[in-house]
Amino acid sequence: MADPLDTVFAALADPTRREILRMLLEDDMAVTDVAEPFEMSLAAISKHLAILAAAGLIAQEKRGRVKWCKLEPDALKAASVWMQSFGQFEPVNLDAFERFLEQELGVGPDP
């Protein structure tokens, strides 16, 4: 079984799927409304929606004859926590590090 983070990041890798998620931030949408702004078939949009649903990023539910899509924001939590873990490190200032080495260790740039 694939790591859930792998599935989420694979789903987010496609710009169409990211746009669908952005659209669903506003409100739940019928599949036909999701498909409307895209220049692709309803079948192609349905495949994108299936990938998003498999990653847990959206939920789909049938209401009468209409299939609705709803954003599942909790699925992004693990990915967000993983990405934020990289924010704990300050960027390294290589010039300052080189000056530190010169002062502390007597190491200087090569002539």
Side-chain angles (χ1 to χ4, degrees):
M1 187 167 129
D3 182 326
L5 269 181
D6 291 346
T7 307
V8 168
F9 282 121
L12 294 174
D14 185 275
T16 299
R17 292 192 286 268
R18 290 192 306 270
E19 180 60 20
I20 291 169
L21 292 176
R22 189 200 61 73
M23 291 166 52
L24 292 174
L25 272 171
E26 304 294 322
D27 202 2
D28 298 359
M29 296 177 75
V31 169
T32 52
D33 293 334
V34 170
E36 188 177 310
F38 298 99
E39 292 184 17
M40 60 180 71
S41 69
L42 188 57
I45 289 296
S46 293
K47 286 181 182 180
H48 283 295
L49 293 173
I51 291 168
L52 291 169
L57 295 167
I58 67 167
Q60 293 183 302
E61 113 180 76
K62 196 117 176 178
R63 298 180 199 159
R65 294 174 16 173
V66 178
K67 194 178 224 182
W68 287 80
C69 302
K70 173 185 169 189
L71 186 67
E72 292 289 347
D74 285 348
L76 285 173
K77 248 186 226 177
S80 177
V81 167
W82 184 84
M83 289 185 293
Q84 287 174 5
S85 68
F86 291 97
Q88 68 185 336
F89 303 106
E90 292 296 319
V92 175
N93 181 331
L94 294 177
D95 291 332
F97 184 62
E98 185 178 352
R99 285 191 300 275
F100 168 78
L101 289 176
E102 287 173 5
Q103 291 171 352
E104 295 297 316
L105 304 175
V107 176
D110 292 332

